[in-house]
Coordinates of all heavy atoms in Angstrom, one line a residue:
L165 N 9.6 9.5 -2.4 CA 9.6 9.7 -0.9 C 9.1 8.6 -0.1 O 9.7 8.3 1.0 CB 8.7 11.0 -0.6 CG 9.2 12.3 -1.1 CD1 8.2 13.4 -1.0 CD2 10.5 12.8 -0.5
Q166 N 8.2 7.8 -0.7 CA 7.7 6.6 0.0 C 8.8 5.5 0.0 O 8.8 4.7 0.9 CB 6.4 6.1 -0.7 CG 5.3 7.0 -0.5 CD 4.0 6.8 -1.3 OE1 4.2 6.1 -2.4 NE2 2.9 7.3 -1.0
W167 N 9.6 5.4 -1.1 CA 10.5 4.3 -1.2 C 11.8 4.5 -0.4 O 12.4 3.6 0.1 CB 10.9 4.1 -2.7 CG 9.8 3.6 -3.5 CD1 8.7 2.9 -3.2 CD2 9.7 3.9 -4.9 NE1 7.9 2.8 -4.2 CE2 8.4 3.3 -5.3 CE3 10.4 4.5 -5.9 CZ2 8.0 3.4 -6.7 CZ3 10.0 4.7 -7.2 CH2 8.8 4.0 -7.6
K168 N 12.2 5.8 -0.2 CA 13.5 6.0 0.4 C 13.4 5.9 1.9 O 12.3 6.2 2.5 CB 13.9 7.5 0.0 CG 15.3 7.9 0.5 CD 15.7 9.3 -0.1 CE 16.9 9.9 0.4 NZ 17.7 9.4 1.4
E169 N 14.4 5.6 2.5 CA 14.4 5.5 4.0 C 14.9 6.9 4.6 O 16.0 7.4 4.1 CB 15.4 4.5 4.6 CG 14.8 3.0 4.4 CD 15.5 2.0 5.1 OE1 16.2 2.4 6.3 OE2 15.6 0.9 4.7
W170 N 14.1 7.5 5.3 CA 14.4 8.9 5.8 C 14.7 8.9 7.3 O 14.2 8.0 8.0 CB 13.2 9.8 5.7 CG 12.9 10.1 4.2 CD1 12.1 9.3 3.4 CD2 13.5 11.0 3.3 NE1 12.1 9.8 2.1 CE2 12.9 10.8 2.0 CE3 14.5 12.0 3.5 CZ2 13.3 11.5 0.9 CZ3 14.8 12.7 2.4 CH2 14.3 12.5 1.1
K171 N 15.5 9.8 7.8 CA 15.7 10.0 9.2 C 14.5 10.7 9.7 O 14.3 11.9 9.7 CB 16.9 10.8 9.5 CG 18.2 10.1 9.0 CD 19.4 11.0 9.2 CE 19.7 11.7 7.9 NZ 20.7 12.6 7.8
M172 N 13.4 10.0 10.2 CA 12.2 10.6 10.7 C 12.3 10.8 12.2 O 13.0 10.0 12.9 CB 11.0 9.7 10.4 CG 10.8 9.4 8.9 SD 10.4 10.9 7.9 CE 8.8 11.2 8.4
P173 N 11.7 11.9 12.7 CA 11.8 12.0 14.2 C 11.0 10.9 14.9 O 10.1 10.4 14.4 CB 11.0 13.4 14.3 CG 10.3 13.6 13.0 CD 11.0 12.9 12.0
P174 N 11.5 10.6 16.0 CA 10.8 9.5 16.8 C 9.4 9.9 17.2 O 9.1 11.0 17.7 CB 11.6 9.3 18.0 CG 12.5 10.6 18.2 CD 12.6 11.1 16.8
S175 N 8.5 8.9 17.0 CA 7.1 9.2 17.3 C 6.8 9.3 18.8 O 5.8 9.9 19.2 CB 6.2 8.2 16.7 OG 6.5 6.9 17.1
S176 N 7.7 8.7 19.6 CA 7.5 8.7 21.0 C 7.9 10.1 21.7 O 7.6 10.3 22.8 CB 8.4 7.6 21.6 OG 9.8 7.9 21.3
C177 N 8.6 10.9 20.9 CA 9.0 12.2 21.5 C 7.8 13.1 21.5 O 7.1 13.3 20.6 CB 10.1 12.7 20.5 SG 10.7 14.5 21.1
S178 N 7.6 13.7 22.7 CA 6.4 14.5 23.0 C 6.3 15.7 22.1 O 5.2 16.1 21.7 CB 6.3 14.9 24.5 OG 7.4 15.7 24.8
K179 N 7.4 16.3 21.7 CA 7.5 17.5 20.9 C 7.1 17.1 19.4 O 6.7 17.9 18.6 CB 8.8 18.1 20.8 CG 9.1 18.9 22.1 CD 10.5 19.5 22.0 CE 10.9 20.2 23.3 NZ 12.2 20.8 23.2
R180 N 7.3 15.8 19.0 CA 7.1 15.4 17.7 C 5.9 14.5 17.4 O 5.9 13.5 16.9 CB 8.4 14.6 17.2 CG 9.6 15.4 17.3 CD 9.7 16.4 16.2 NE 10.9 17.2 16.4 CZ 11.0 18.5 16.1 NH1 10.0 19.1 15.5 NH2 12.1 19.1 16.3
K181 N 4.7 15.0 17.9 CA 3.5 14.3 17.6 C 3.1 14.2 16.2 O 3.5 15.2 15.4 CB 2.4 14.9 18.5 CG 2.5 14.7 19.9 CD 1.4 15.3 20.7 CE 1.6 15.0 22.3 NZ 0.5 15.6 23.0
N182 N 2.3 13.3 15.7 CA 1.9 13.2 14.5 C 3.0 13.0 13.4 O 2.8 13.6 12.3 CB 1.0 14.5 14.1 CG -0.2 14.6 15.0 OD1 -0.8 13.7 15.4 ND2 -0.5 15.9 15.4
V183 N 4.0 12.1 13.7 CA 5.0 11.9 12.8 C 4.3 11.1 11.6 O 3.5 10.2 11.9 CB 6.1 11.2 13.4 CG1 7.1 10.7 12.4 CG2 6.7 12.0 14.4
Q184 N 4.7 11.4 10.4 CA 4.2 10.6 9.2 C 5.2 9.5 8.9 O 6.4 9.4 9.4 CB 4.1 11.6 8.0 CG 3.2 12.8 8.3 CD 3.1 13.8 7.3 OE1 2.1 14.2 6.9 NE2 4.2 14.2 6.7
L185 N 4.8 8.6 8.0 CA 5.7 7.5 7.6 C 6.8 7.9 6.7 O 7.9 7.3 6.6 CB 4.9 6.4 6.9 CG 3.8 5.7 7.8 CD1 2.9 4.8 7.0 CD2 4.4 5.0 9.0
H186 N 6.6 9.0 5.9 CA 7.6 9.5 5.0 C 7.2 10.9 4.8 O 6.1 11.4 5.0 CB 7.6 8.8 3.7 CG 6.2 8.7 3.1 ND1 5.7 9.8 2.3 CD2 5.2 7.8 3.1 CE1 4.5 9.5 1.9 NE2 4.2 8.3 2.4
P187 N 8.2 11.7 4.3 CA 7.9 13.2 4.0 C 6.8 13.3 2.9 O 6.7 12.3 2.0 CB 9.3 13.7 3.5 CG 10.3 12.8 4.0 CD 9.6 11.5 4.1
V188 N 6.1 14.3 2.8 CA 5.1 14.6 1.8 C 5.2 16.0 1.3 O 5.5 16.9 2.2 CB 3.6 14.4 2.3 CG1 3.4 12.9 2.6 CG2 3.3 15.3 3.5
P189 N 5.1 16.2 0.0 CA 5.2 17.6 -0.6 C 4.1 18.4 0.1 O 3.0 18.1 0.3 CB 4.9 17.4 -2.1 CG 5.1 15.9 -2.3 CD 4.8 15.2 -1.0
V190 N 4.5 19.7 0.3 CA 3.5 20.7 0.8 C 3.1 21.7 -0.3 O 2.2 22.6 0.0 CB 4.0 21.5 2.0 CG1 4.3 20.6 3.2 CG2 5.4 22.2 1.7
H191 N 3.6 21.6 -1.4 CA 3.2 22.4 -2.5 C 3.6 21.6 -3.8 O 4.2 20.6 -3.7 CB 3.9 23.7 -2.5 CG 5.4 23.8 -2.7 ND1 5.9 24.1 -4.0 CD2 6.4 23.4 -1.9 CE1 7.3 24.0 -3.7 NE2 7.5 23.6 -2.6
R192 N 3.2 22.2 -4.9 CA 3.6 21.4 -6.3 C 4.4 22.4 -7.1 O 4.3 23.6 -7.1 CB 2.4 21.1 -7.0 CG 1.5 20.0 -6.3 CD 0.3 19.6 -7.0 NE -0.6 20.8 -7.0 CZ -1.7 20.8 -7.7 NH1 -2.2 19.8 -8.3 NH2 -2.5 21.8 -7.7
L193 N 5.1 21.7 -7.9 CA 5.8 22.3 -9.1 C 5.4 21.6 -10.3 O 5.3 20.3 -10.2 CB 7.3 22.3 -8.9 CG 8.0 23.1 -7.8 CD1 9.4 22.9 -7.7 CD2 7.7 24.7 -8.0
G194 N 5.1 22.2 -11.4 CA 4.6 21.5 -12.6 C 5.7 20.5 -13.1 O 6.9 20.7 -12.8
R195 N 5.2 19.5 -13.8 CA 6.2 18.4 -14.3 C 7.3 19.1 -15.0 O 8.5 18.6 -14.9 CB 5.4 17.4 -15.1 CG 6.2 16.3 -15.6 CD 5.5 15.1 -16.1 NE 4.4 15.4 -16.9 CZ 4.4 15.4 -18.3 NH1 5.5 14.9 -18.8 NH2 3.4 15.8 -19.0
G196 N 7.1 20.1 -15.8 CA 8.2 20.7 -16.6 C 9.0 21.7 -15.9 O 10.0 22.2 -16.4
T197 N 8.7 21.9 -14.6 CA 9.4 23.0 -13.9 C 10.4 22.2 -12.9 O 10.0 21.3 -12.3 CB 8.3 23.7 -13.0 OG1 7.4 24.3 -13.9 CG2 9.1 24.8 -12.2
S198 N 11.6 22.9 -12.8 CA 12.6 22.4 -11.9 C 12.7 23.4 -10.7 O 12.3 24.6 -11.0 CB 14.0 22.2 -12.6 OG 14.4 23.4 -13.1
G199 N 13.1 22.9 -9.6 CA 13.2 23.9 -8.5 C 13.1 23.3 -7.2 O 13.1 22.1 -7.0
L200 N 13.1 24.1 -6.1 CA 13.1 23.8 -4.8 C 11.6 23.2 -4.4 O 10.7 24.0 -4.6 CB 13.5 25.0 -3.9 CG 13.6 24.7 -2.4 CD1 14.9 23.8 -2.2 CD2 13.8 26.0 -1.7
L201 N 11.6 22.1 -3.9 CA 10.3 21.5 -3.4 C 10.4 21.2 -1.9 O 11.3 20.4 -1.5 CB 9.9 20.2 -4.2 CG 8.7 19.5 -3.9 CD1 7.5 20.4 -4.4 CD2 8.6 18.1 -4.5
L202 N 9.4 21.7 -1.2 CA 9.5 21.5 0.3 C 8.6 20.3 0.7 O 7.5 20.2 0.2 CB 9.1 22.8 1.0 CG 9.9 24.0 0.9 CD1 9.4 25.1 1.7 CD2 11.4 23.8 1.2
C203 N 9.1 19.5 1.5 CA 8.2 18.3 1.9 C 8.3 18.2 3.4 O 9.4 18.4 4.0 CB 8.9 16.9 1.3 SG 8.9 17.0 -0.5
A204 N 7.1 18.0 4.0 CA 7.0 18.0 5.5 C 7.3 16.5 6.1 O 6.7 15.5 5.4 CB 5.7 18.5 5.9
K205 N 7.8 16.3 7.2 CA 8.0 15.1 7.8 C 7.0 14.8 9.0 O 6.8 13.7 9.3 CB 9.4 15.0 8.5 CG 10.5 14.8 7.5 CD 11.9 14.7 8.2 CE 12.9 14.3 7.4 NZ 14.2 14.0 8.1
T206 N 6.3 15.9 9.4 CA 5.3 15.8 10.5 C 4.1 16.5 10.0 O 4.1 17.3 9.1 CB 5.8 16.4 11.7 OG1 5.9 17.9 11.5 CG2 7.1 15.9 12.3
K207 N 2.9 16.1 10.5 CA 1.6 16.6 10.2 C 1.6 18.1 10.5 O 1.1 19.0 9.8 CB 0.6 15.9 10.8 CG 0.3 14.5 10.2 CD -0.8 13.8 10.8 CE -0.9 12.3 10.3 NZ -1.9 11.5 10.9
L208 N 2.3 18.5 11.7 CA 2.3 19.9 12.1 C 3.1 20.7 11.1 O 2.6 21.8 10.7 CB 2.9 20.0 13.4 CG 3.0 21.4 14.0 CD1 1.6 22.0 14.2 CD2 3.6 21.3 15.4
A209 N 4.2 20.2 10.7 CA 5.1 20.9 9.7 C 4.3 21.1 8.4 O 4.3 22.1 7.7 CB 6.3 20.2 9.5
K210 N 3.5 20.1 8.0 CA 2.8 20.1 6.7 C 1.7 21.2 6.8 O 1.6 22.0 5.9 CB 2.0 18.8 6.5 CG 1.3 18.7 5.2 CD 0.6 17.4 5.0 CE -0.3 17.4 3.7 NZ -1.0 16.2 3.6
V211 N 1.0 21.3 7.9 CA 0.0 22.3 8.1 C 0.6 23.8 8.1 O 0.1 24.6 7.4 CB -0.8 22.1 9.4 CG1 -1.7 23.3 9.6 CG2 -1.7 20.9 9.3

């Protein structure tokens, strides 16, 4: 997630405060588990 370039929301947009540099996982799946993993692009979305 840190290496890839993402379409991140502009930090200047008033609705999009607290934009992160890259998406971050909001939960975990075990290394041996495959499946859907959700990652947040903003601090508000992460919370």
Side-chain angles (χ1 to χ4, degrees):
L165 291 171
Q166 292 168 341
W167 296 333
K168 185 177 178 351
E169 288 194 29
W170 296 93
K171 295 175 263 176
M172 299 299 283
S175 57
S176 59
C177 182
S178 61
K179 290 182 181 178
R180 303 288 177 209
K181 291 182 180 177
N182 301 322
V183 174
Q184 302 175 138
L185 297 175
H186 56 81
V188 295
V190 296
H191 66 102
R192 291 180 296 176
L193 292 174
R195 185 166 41 100
T197 304
S198 63
L200 187 69
L201 181 70
L202 299 181
C203 302
K205 288 184 169 183
T206 65
K207 291 179 183 177
L208 179 61
K210 180 181 176 184
V211 169

